């Protein structure tokens, strides 16, 4: 019973992350291997099975909201489908430890990319804000006047 509850918690956490647009498997697969003692193959297979209904519901919602551009999606879907079939067969031939290592490297690369993107965007915002404040140096009086007015209150 405890293992079932842990499985449900892992699934909910994966669903939350998936709902945020990051792909629930990113979190679900490590949770299943760590807390449910599943092999990498089992965790990935279970994640894929869970993905089918989630993808179907999401596709329906996005289609109703006119967010799906099928003309653009088809050139992405066909090669992705072919590649996923080929890689599924390759994954079956790969030892679980090697598969886990590859997945770990993928997650690490994804994390580094996301972190670098956040840092770069922060630096760009600060540079942009600094150049705007340097151009509008005369506007500092507005801030000073505002601060003085607050102090009088």
């Amino acid at each position: 019973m405890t293992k079932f509850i842990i499985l449900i918690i892992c699934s909910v956490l994966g669903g939350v992350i998936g709902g945020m647009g990051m792909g629930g498997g990113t979190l679900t697969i490590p949770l299943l291997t760590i807390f449910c003692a599943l092999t990498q193959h089992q965790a990935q297979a279970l994640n894929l099975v869970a993905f089918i209904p989630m993808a179907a519901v999401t596709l329906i919602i996005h289609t109703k909201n006119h967010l799906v551009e099928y003309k653009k999606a088809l050139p992405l879907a066909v090669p992705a489908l072919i590649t996923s079939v080929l890689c599924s067969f390759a994954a079956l031939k790969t030892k679980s430890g090697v598969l886990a290592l590859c997945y770990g490297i993928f997650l690490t690369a994804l994390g580094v990319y996301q972190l670098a993107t956040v840092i770069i965007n922060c630096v760009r915002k600060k540079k942009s804000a600094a150049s705007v404040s340097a151009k509008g140096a005369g506007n500092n009086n507005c801030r000073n006047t505002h601060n003085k007015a607050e102090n009088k209150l």
Side-chain angles (χ1 to χ4, degrees):
M1 184 65 160
T2 304
K3 192 170 185 174
F4 181 74
I5 292 171
I6 293 172
L7 182 64
I8 296 297
I9 292 170
C10 293
S11 299
V12 169
L13 290 173
V16 168
I17 295 296
M20 292 181 195
M22 188 180 168
T26 306
L27 182 63
T28 305
I29 292 171
L31 291 174
L32 291 173
T33 57
I34 294 167
F35 296 110
C36 296
L38 297 178
T39 67
Q40 189 72 23
H41 287 100
Q42 292 169 326
Q44 287 184 208
L46 187 56
N47 179 65
L48 290 172
V49 169
F51 179 77
I52 294 168
M54 290 187 290
V57 170
T58 304
L59 182 60
I60 291 167
I61 292 169
H62 287 316
T63 300
K64 284 184 178 181
N65 290 318
H66 306 287
L67 297 172
V68 179
E69 297 181 39
Y70 287 100
K71 288 182 181 178
K72 291 182 180 178
L74 194 59
L76 293 172
V78 172
L81 179 62
I82 293 167
T83 306
S84 66
V85 169
L86 294 174
C87 288
S88 294
F89 287 118
L92 289 173
K93 301 289 184 192
T94 306
K95 291 182 180 178
S96 190
V98 173
L99 199 57
L101 178 65
C102 290
Y103 190 71
I105 291 169
F106 165 73
L107 288 180
T108 302
L110 182 63
V112 169
Y113 173 78
Q114 290 291 323
L115 181 62
T117 300
V118 169
I119 292 170
I120 289 168
N121 288 336
C122 285
V123 169
R124 285 181 182 160
K125 280 184 182 179
K126 285 188 179 190
K127 284 183 179 180
S128 177
S131 68
V132 168
S133 67
K135 290 178 184 175
N139 292 337
N140 283 339
N141 291 337
C142 293
R143 272 189 256 146
N144 292 338
T145 305
H146 178 69
N147 289 341
K148 288 177 188 176
E150 280 184 352
N151 290 337
K152 288 182 183 178
L153 295 174

